Amino acid sequence: MEIIFYHPTFDTQWWIAALEKQLPGARVREWKSGDNEPADYALVWHPPVEMLQGRELKAVFALGAGVDSILSKLREHPEMLPLSIPLFRLEDTGMGLQMQEYAVSQVLHWFRRFDDYQALKQETRWEPLPEFTRDEFTIGIMGAGVLGSKVAESLLAWGFPVRVWSRSHKDWPNVQSFAGESEMGEFLRETRVLINLLPNTAETVGIINHALLNQLQDQSYLLNLARGVHVNEDELLRALENGKVKGAMLDVFSREPLPVESPLWRHPRVAMTPHIAAVTRPQEAIAYIGKTITGLERGEAVTGQVDRARGY
Protein backbone atom coordinates (compact mmCIF):
# COMPACT_ATOMS: atom_id res chain seq x y z
CA MET A 1 0.00 0.00 0.00
CA GLU A 2 1.39 3.41 -1.05
CA ILE A 3 0.42 6.59 0.81
CA ILE A 4 1.46 10.15 -0.05
CA PHE A 5 1.52 12.80 2.69
CA TYR A 6 1.49 16.59 2.45
CA HIS A 7 1.12 19.18 5.21
CA PRO A 8 2.84 22.59 5.05
CA THR A 9 3.55 22.84 8.80
CA PHE A 10 3.43 19.38 10.40
CA ASP A 11 6.56 17.42 11.31
CA THR A 12 6.36 15.23 8.21
CA GLN A 13 8.96 12.66 9.21
CA TRP A 14 7.27 12.06 12.57
CA TRP A 15 3.91 11.56 10.86
CA ILE A 16 5.39 9.18 8.29
CA ALA A 17 6.98 7.03 10.99
CA ALA A 18 3.79 7.01 13.09
CA LEU A 19 1.58 6.14 10.12
CA GLU A 20 3.83 3.27 9.04
CA LYS A 21 3.71 1.92 12.59
CA GLN A 22 -0.10 2.21 12.60
CA LEU A 23 -0.40 0.54 9.17
CA PRO A 24 2.17 -2.28 9.00
CA GLY A 25 3.17 -2.97 5.43
CA ALA A 26 2.23 0.50 4.18
CA ARG A 27 4.84 2.77 2.63
CA VAL A 28 4.27 6.44 3.37
CA ARG A 29 6.22 9.15 1.58
CA GLU A 30 6.25 12.91 1.63
CA TRP A 31 4.79 14.27 -1.57
CA LYS A 32 6.95 16.82 -3.34
CA SER A 33 6.40 18.68 -6.59
CA GLY A 34 7.10 16.41 -9.54
CA ASP A 35 6.16 13.20 -7.69
CA ASN A 36 3.84 11.39 -10.10
CA GLU A 37 4.48 7.88 -8.82
CA PRO A 38 1.40 5.75 -8.05
CA ALA A 39 -0.32 5.95 -4.66
CA ASP A 40 -3.35 4.36 -3.05
CA TYR A 41 -4.20 7.06 -0.51
CA ALA A 42 -3.37 10.74 0.00
CA LEU A 43 -3.25 12.52 3.38
CA VAL A 44 -3.33 16.27 2.85
CA TRP A 45 -3.80 19.77 4.17
CA HIS A 46 -4.12 22.64 1.65
CA PRO A 47 -2.79 20.37 -1.11
CA PRO A 48 -1.44 21.76 -4.38
CA VAL A 49 -3.65 20.86 -7.35
CA GLU A 50 -0.86 18.86 -9.00
CA MET A 51 -0.60 16.53 -6.00
CA LEU A 52 -4.04 15.01 -6.58
CA GLN A 53 -4.83 15.71 -10.22
CA GLY A 54 -4.81 12.65 -12.45
CA ARG A 55 -4.19 10.15 -9.65
CA GLU A 56 -6.18 6.93 -9.33
CA LEU A 57 -6.60 7.02 -5.57
CA LYS A 58 -8.77 4.91 -3.30
CA ALA A 59 -9.43 7.87 -0.97
CA VAL A 60 -8.15 11.25 0.17
CA PHE A 61 -8.00 12.25 3.85
CA ALA A 62 -8.04 15.91 4.94
CA LEU A 63 -5.86 16.31 8.02
CA GLY A 64 -8.46 18.34 9.90
CA ALA A 65 -12.18 18.59 10.60
CA GLY A 66 -12.73 21.09 7.78
CA VAL A 67 -12.37 20.50 4.06
CA ASP A 68 -12.86 24.11 2.97
CA SER A 69 -9.53 24.48 1.19
CA ILE A 70 -10.01 21.31 -0.85
CA LEU A 71 -13.59 22.11 -1.83
CA SER A 72 -12.73 25.68 -2.81
CA LYS A 73 -9.93 24.41 -5.06
CA LEU A 74 -12.30 21.85 -6.56
CA ARG A 75 -14.66 24.63 -7.58
CA GLU A 76 -11.85 26.10 -9.68
CA HIS A 77 -10.21 22.78 -10.63
CA PRO A 78 -12.91 20.05 -10.62
CA GLU A 79 -10.47 17.74 -12.38
CA MET A 80 -8.27 17.71 -9.26
CA LEU A 81 -10.38 15.05 -7.56
CA PRO A 82 -13.10 13.13 -9.43
CA LEU A 83 -16.33 12.42 -7.54
CA SER A 84 -15.51 8.72 -7.74
CA ILE A 85 -12.67 9.23 -5.23
CA PRO A 86 -14.05 9.55 -1.66
CA LEU A 87 -12.90 12.46 0.49
CA PHE A 88 -12.68 11.98 4.26
CA ARG A 89 -12.29 14.45 7.12
CA LEU A 90 -11.20 13.89 10.71
CA GLU A 91 -14.46 13.44 12.63
CA ASP A 92 -13.29 14.03 16.21
CA THR A 93 -9.77 12.77 16.95
CA GLY A 94 -9.58 14.74 20.20
CA MET A 95 -11.26 17.86 18.84
CA GLY A 96 -14.54 17.17 20.64
CA LEU A 97 -12.92 17.38 24.07
CA GLN A 98 -11.10 20.56 23.11
CA MET A 99 -14.33 22.16 21.92
CA GLN A 100 -16.01 21.13 25.18
CA GLU A 101 -13.25 22.75 27.21
CA TYR A 102 -13.42 25.95 25.20
CA ALA A 103 -17.20 26.27 25.21
CA VAL A 104 -17.73 25.39 28.87
CA SER A 105 -14.96 27.71 30.07
CA GLN A 106 -16.34 30.66 28.08
CA VAL A 107 -20.00 30.10 28.96
CA LEU A 108 -19.08 29.91 32.64
CA HIS A 109 -16.95 33.05 32.25
CA TRP A 110 -20.00 34.96 31.02
CA PHE A 111 -22.44 33.24 33.40
CA ARG A 112 -20.37 34.18 36.45
CA ARG A 113 -19.97 37.71 35.02
CA PHE A 114 -16.17 37.61 35.01
CA ASP A 115 -16.17 39.89 31.97
CA ASP A 116 -18.17 42.48 33.94
CA TYR A 117 -15.86 42.17 36.94
CA GLN A 118 -12.83 42.64 34.71
CA ALA A 119 -14.40 45.83 33.35
CA LEU A 120 -15.04 47.04 36.91
CA LYS A 121 -11.43 46.27 37.80
CA GLN A 122 -10.28 48.60 35.04
CA GLU A 123 -12.31 51.34 36.76
CA THR A 124 -11.02 50.35 40.25
CA ARG A 125 -14.62 49.70 41.31
CA TRP A 126 -15.49 47.15 44.03
CA GLU A 127 -19.08 46.23 43.19
CA PRO A 128 -20.74 42.83 43.64
CA LEU A 129 -23.20 42.26 40.79
CA PRO A 130 -26.53 40.38 40.68
CA GLU A 131 -26.10 36.77 39.66
CA PHE A 132 -27.45 35.29 36.45
CA THR A 133 -29.64 32.21 36.72
CA ARG A 134 -29.46 29.20 34.46
CA ASP A 135 -33.06 29.50 33.31
CA GLU A 136 -32.21 32.89 31.76
CA PHE A 137 -29.01 31.58 30.19
CA THR A 138 -30.23 29.32 27.37
CA ILE A 139 -27.46 28.06 25.10
CA GLY A 140 -28.23 27.86 21.38
CA ILE A 141 -25.85 25.81 19.23
CA MET A 142 -25.87 26.28 15.47
CA GLY A 143 -24.58 23.07 13.90
CA ALA A 144 -25.42 19.56 15.02
CA GLY A 145 -22.50 17.48 13.83
CA VAL A 146 -20.09 15.48 15.96
CA LEU A 147 -18.60 18.58 17.59
CA GLY A 148 -21.99 20.19 18.15
CA SER A 149 -23.22 17.10 19.96
CA LYS A 150 -20.12 17.05 22.16
CA VAL A 151 -20.53 20.72 23.12
CA ALA A 152 -24.24 20.23 23.88
CA GLU A 153 -23.45 17.25 26.09
CA SER A 154 -20.86 19.18 28.09
CA LEU A 155 -23.13 22.20 28.71
CA LEU A 156 -26.06 20.01 29.76
CA ALA A 157 -23.81 18.62 32.49
CA TRP A 158 -23.61 22.14 33.97
CA GLY A 159 -27.39 22.47 34.06
CA PHE A 160 -27.87 24.97 31.23
CA PRO A 161 -30.92 24.79 28.94
CA VAL A 162 -29.56 23.73 25.54
CA ARG A 163 -31.10 23.99 22.07
CA VAL A 164 -29.69 23.23 18.65
CA TRP A 165 -30.39 24.41 15.11
CA SER A 166 -29.36 22.42 12.05
CA ARG A 167 -30.45 21.24 8.61
CA SER A 168 -32.63 18.47 10.10
CA HIS A 169 -34.13 17.75 13.50
CA LYS A 170 -32.06 15.87 16.07
CA ASP A 171 -33.28 13.51 18.75
CA TRP A 172 -30.83 14.34 21.52
CA PRO A 173 -31.81 13.79 25.18
CA ASN A 174 -32.80 17.04 26.96
CA VAL A 175 -31.95 19.20 23.91
CA GLN A 176 -34.56 21.22 22.01
CA SER A 177 -34.08 20.76 18.27
CA PHE A 178 -34.92 23.26 15.54
CA ALA A 179 -34.36 22.83 11.83
CA GLY A 180 -34.39 24.87 8.67
CA GLU A 181 -34.99 28.50 7.92
CA SER A 182 -38.62 28.33 9.06
CA GLU A 183 -37.60 27.51 12.65
CA MET A 184 -34.59 29.83 12.89
CA GLY A 185 -36.57 32.69 14.51
CA GLU A 186 -38.03 30.44 17.20
CA PHE A 187 -34.55 29.02 17.89
CA LEU A 188 -33.02 32.48 18.31
CA ARG A 189 -35.73 34.16 20.41
CA GLU A 190 -34.91 32.31 23.63
CA THR A 191 -31.16 32.02 23.04
CA ARG A 192 -28.87 34.00 25.35
CA VAL A 193 -25.55 32.45 24.27
CA LEU A 194 -25.18 31.62 20.58
CA ILE A 195 -22.45 29.08 19.78
CA ASN A 196 -21.57 28.65 16.12
CA LEU A 197 -20.38 25.21 14.99
CA LEU A 198 -21.82 25.25 11.47
CA PRO A 199 -19.99 23.79 8.48
CA ASN A 200 -18.71 26.18 5.85
CA THR A 201 -21.13 26.00 2.92
CA ALA A 202 -22.53 28.46 0.41
CA GLU A 203 -25.69 28.71 2.55
CA THR A 204 -23.85 29.50 5.80
CA VAL A 205 -21.43 32.19 4.60
CA GLY A 206 -22.39 35.46 6.34
CA ILE A 207 -25.24 33.79 8.23
CA ILE A 208 -24.43 35.61 11.49
CA ASN A 209 -25.42 39.09 10.43
CA HIS A 210 -27.57 42.00 11.60
CA ALA A 211 -30.84 40.21 10.81
CA LEU A 212 -29.86 37.11 12.79
CA LEU A 213 -28.29 38.91 15.76
CA ASN A 214 -31.33 41.16 16.06
CA GLN A 215 -33.51 38.12 16.80
CA LEU A 216 -31.48 37.11 19.85
CA GLN A 217 -32.34 38.18 23.37
CA ASP A 218 -31.02 41.61 24.36
CA GLN A 219 -27.56 41.51 25.95
CA SER A 220 -26.75 38.15 24.37
CA TYR A 221 -23.36 36.58 23.72
CA LEU A 222 -21.71 35.09 20.64
CA LEU A 223 -19.11 32.32 20.63
CA ASN A 224 -17.75 31.52 17.15
CA LEU A 225 -15.85 28.23 16.97
CA ALA A 226 -16.56 27.34 13.33
CA ARG A 227 -15.40 29.60 10.49
CA GLY A 228 -14.74 33.31 10.22
CA VAL A 229 -16.78 33.60 7.02
CA HIS A 230 -19.92 32.81 9.01
CA VAL A 231 -19.81 36.19 10.77
CA ASN A 232 -20.33 39.60 9.23
CA GLU A 233 -17.77 41.30 11.44
CA ASP A 234 -18.97 44.87 10.76
CA GLU A 235 -22.53 43.96 11.70
CA LEU A 236 -21.33 42.15 14.83
CA LEU A 237 -19.49 45.31 15.87
CA ARG A 238 -22.67 47.31 15.31
CA ALA A 239 -24.62 44.87 17.52
CA LEU A 240 -21.97 45.22 20.23
CA GLU A 241 -22.17 49.00 20.05
CA ASN A 242 -25.97 49.16 20.30
CA GLY A 243 -26.07 46.66 23.17
CA LYS A 244 -27.90 43.86 21.37
CA VAL A 245 -24.80 41.70 21.86
CA LYS A 246 -23.07 42.05 25.23
CA GLY A 247 -19.92 40.12 24.41
CA ALA A 248 -18.24 38.02 21.73
CA MET A 249 -15.56 35.36 21.90
CA LEU A 250 -14.04 34.67 18.50
CA ASP A 251 -11.59 31.93 17.55
CA VAL A 252 -11.89 32.37 13.78
CA PHE A 253 -11.98 35.36 11.46
CA SER A 254 -12.75 36.30 7.87
CA ARG A 255 -9.03 36.97 7.36
CA GLU A 256 -6.34 35.12 9.28
CA PRO A 257 -4.10 36.29 10.80
CA LEU A 258 -6.49 39.07 11.75
CA PRO A 259 -5.18 42.33 10.23
CA VAL A 260 -3.80 44.77 12.79
CA GLU A 261 -6.19 47.47 11.56
CA SER A 262 -9.28 45.41 12.44
CA PRO A 263 -11.37 47.15 15.16
CA LEU A 264 -11.99 43.71 16.71
CA TRP A 265 -8.52 43.94 18.28
CA ARG A 266 -9.46 47.04 20.23
CA HIS A 267 -13.08 46.40 21.15
CA PRO A 268 -13.36 46.01 24.95
CA ARG A 269 -16.12 43.38 24.74
CA VAL A 270 -14.49 41.17 22.13
CA ALA A 271 -12.16 38.40 23.28
CA MET A 272 -10.26 36.29 20.78
CA THR A 273 -7.90 33.39 20.24
CA PRO A 274 -5.85 32.60 17.09
CA HIS A 275 -7.83 29.66 15.64
CA ILE A 276 -6.82 27.20 18.36
CA ALA A 277 -10.20 26.06 19.72
CA ALA A 278 -9.60 22.51 18.46
CA VAL A 279 -6.41 21.45 16.75
CA THR A 280 -5.49 18.11 15.18
CA ARG A 281 -4.14 15.75 17.84
CA PRO A 282 -1.62 13.55 16.02
CA GLN A 283 -2.08 10.28 17.90
CA GLU A 284 -5.88 10.35 17.69
CA ALA A 285 -5.77 11.40 14.03
CA ILE A 286 -3.38 8.61 13.09
CA ALA A 287 -5.51 6.04 14.92
CA TYR A 288 -8.62 7.22 13.03
CA ILE A 289 -6.85 7.23 9.66
CA GLY A 290 -5.39 3.78 10.27
CA LYS A 291 -8.74 2.34 11.32
CA THR A 292 -10.54 3.90 8.34
CA ILE A 293 -7.99 2.78 5.75
CA THR A 294 -8.04 -0.73 7.21
CA GLY A 295 -11.84 -0.72 6.95
CA LEU A 296 -11.74 0.48 3.34
CA GLU A 297 -9.24 -2.22 2.43
CA ARG A 298 -11.54 -4.84 3.93
CA GLY A 299 -14.63 -3.45 2.22
CA GLU A 300 -16.22 -2.50 5.56
CA ALA A 301 -18.53 0.45 6.25
CA VAL A 302 -16.61 3.49 7.54
CA THR A 303 -17.54 7.00 8.69
CA GLY A 304 -16.20 10.47 8.01
CA GLN A 305 -16.76 10.67 4.25
CA VAL A 306 -17.56 14.17 3.04
CA ASP A 307 -20.74 14.85 1.09
CA ARG A 308 -19.30 17.27 -1.45
CA ALA A 309 -22.70 18.66 -2.39
CA ARG A 310 -23.34 19.66 1.23
CA GLY A 311 -19.77 20.69 1.91
CA TYR A 312 -19.20 18.51 4.99
Side-chain angles (χ1 to χ4, degrees), residues 166-179:
S166 57
R167 183 190 295 267
S168 57
H169 287 105
K170 305 300 176 187
D171 185 18
W172 296 353
N174 303 311
V175 175
Q176 280 188 284
S177 177
F178 301 83

Side-chain angles (χ1 to χ4, degrees), residues 16 40 67 89 152 163 171-172 219 284:
I16 288 174
D40 299 296
V67 290
R89 61 183 178 85
R163 51 181 47 200
D171 185 18
W172 296 353
Q219 297 283 287
E284 289 93 335

Side-chain angles (χ1 to χ4, degrees), residues 10-32:
F10 279 0
D11 181 343
T12 299
Q13 295 311 309
W14 184 92
W15 273 78
I16 288 174
L19 285 161
E20 289 184 340
K21 183 177 180 181
Q22 183 74 29
L23 288 163
R27 192 173 79 89
V28 185
R29 69 181 187 271
E30 179 183 7
W31 179 87
K32 295 181 179 179

Side-chain angles (χ1 to χ4, degrees), residues 141-210:
I141 301 171
M142 296 176 70
V146 173
L147 298 180
S149 68
K150 293 285 187 181
V151 169
E153 175 187 320
S154 65
L155 289 165
L156 284 170
W158 285 91
F160 291 104
V162 176
R163 51 181 47 200
V164 66
W165 179 84
S166 57
R167 183 190 295 267
S168 57
H169 287 105
K170 305 300 176 187
D171 185 18
W172 296 353
N174 303 311
V175 175
Q176 280 188 284
S177 177
F178 301 83
E181 187 175 348
S182 63
E183 296 182 7
M184 172 69 86
E186 186 182 359
F187 164 77
L188 294 169
R189 272 193 296 276
E190 300 300 322
T191 292
R192 184 68 182 277
V193 178
L194 183 65
I195 300 178
N196 179 37
L197 283 166
L198 288 169
N200 182 11
T201 67
E203 293 78 16
T204 62
V205 170
I207 192 171
I208 301 176
N209 53 26
H210 171 75

